[in-house]
Amino acid sequence: MNDFGGMKKTLLLFFVVLVLLQFGAPTYGATTIGLPDINISISGENGDVEVANSIQILIMLTILSLAPSILIMMTSFTRIVIVLGFVRRALSLQSTPPNQTLIGLALFLTFFVMSPVFTDAYENAYVPLSEGTVTLEEAVDSASEPFKEFMLRQVRSKDLALFLDIANIDKVETKDDIPLTVVVPAFIISELKLSFEIGFLIFVPFIVVDMIVASTLMALGMMMLPPVMISLPIKILLFIMVDGWHLMVEKLILSIR
């Protein structure tokens, strides 16, 4: 009963507040009960200039929040990190190298590979925008152009045709007629297929080592000894002898057109 009475008091107080908000606060003598006004504005000594700068800062913060997604979807990061994950899995190593190391290596390799694209976008988009010679829309178009060219060099024609057909785009004369909404998913699918192909080729020699070790242990009657205990150091030794990390990074960079 006490809970019910407290609930009625709360509902009554809420109703009184709604009435005050709707019809205004009552006046008792010379005292007026009012509610404070809340106003959010951007103003300053320079007026419109500061407002424009504040909007640009807001847009830049939004772009920075989307930067990880842009990095993953529109660069070679997807291919590199998946291949590095396949290498670790093929060696039967669960957490060595750790995820932070692999992702950090993939990031720096991505920056190395994409440096011409980043430089082109910086010089043709950010510098003119900071100097005030182009508008924000023109800067966005100029920045997306080198990324679009890079993705089109990697994408398969089959994947590109798939999304063009889904988007009902029939006539494409130049690359400018292909929107980014078509190029990005086609690029991601192409990167996934190529990275899985590379991962399969990486797995083959290590699977052969596992099969040889397992057959040898079975022939010797060592049924209780896990084959991975013997094959793991052999695979690591084989990977070291062929200088696996150097070879893998070299082939990954050369595979990116």
Side-chain angles (χ1 to χ4, degrees), residues 90-109:
L91 288 170
S92 301
L93 299 172
Q94 301 300 324
S95 59
T96 304
N99 291 331
Q100 293 86 349
T101 303
L102 290 183
I103 294 176
L105 177 60
L107 282 174
F108 277 100
L109 289 178

Side-chain angles (χ1 to χ4, degrees), residues 171-185:
K171 295 182 179 180
V172 176
E173 297 180 356
T174 62
K175 60 181 179 61
D176 296 331
D177 299 332
I178 307 176
L180 276 177
T181 54
V182 171
V183 177
V184 173

Side-chain angles (χ1 to χ4, degrees), residues 34-79:
L35 297 176
D37 295 332
I38 299 176
N39 184 18
I40 299 176
S41 62
I42 302 174
S43 60
E45 182 180 357
N46 296 327
D48 296 337
V49 176
E50 289 195 1
V51 173
N53 292 335
S54 301
I55 294 175
Q56 289 183 1
I57 293 173
L58 180 62
I59 294 174
M60 291 299 297
L61 291 176
T62 304
I63 294 175
L64 289 177
S65 64
L66 297 176
S69 300
I70 296 174
L71 178 66
I72 293 174
M73 293 186 299
M74 301 176 63
T75 64
S76 58
F77 178 81
T78 301
R79 181 191 309 186

Side-chain angles (χ1 to χ4, degrees), residues 6-7 14 85 98 101 107 110 120 144-145 179 181 185 187-188 191 222:
M7 185 179 298
F14 181 69
T101 303
L107 282 174
T110 302
D120 192 1
S144 62
E145 191 64 28
T181 54
F187 170 74
I188 294 175
E191 290 292 287
M222 299 180 180

Side-chain angles (χ1 to χ4, degrees), residues 88-151:
R88 185 176 68 179
R89 190 69 183 89
L91 288 170
S92 301
L93 299 172
Q94 301 300 324
S95 59
T96 304
N99 291 331
Q100 293 86 349
T101 303
L102 290 183
I103 294 176
L105 177 60
L107 282 174
F108 277 100
L109 289 178
T110 302
F111 290 144
F112 177 77
V113 172
M114 300 293 298
S115 58
V117 179
F118 292 153
T119 303
D120 192 1
Y122 174 80
E123 293 179 351
N124 296 328
Y126 179 76
V127 173
L129 179 64
S130 62
E131 295 176 351
T133 57
V134 297
T135 62
L136 182 61
E137 291 79 7
E138 294 173 345
V140 171
D141 293 337
S142 300
S144 62
E145 191 64 28
F147 286 94
K148 186 176 181 180
E149 293 179 357
F150 170 79
M151 289 186 289

Side-chain angles (χ1 to χ4, degrees), residues 90 199-212 235 238:
F200 171 77
L201 296 177
I202 293 172
F203 256 94
V204 170
F206 295 109
I207 290 177
V208 173
V209 173
D210 288 332
M211 294 176 61
I212 293 174
K235 290 191 290 186
L238 177 63

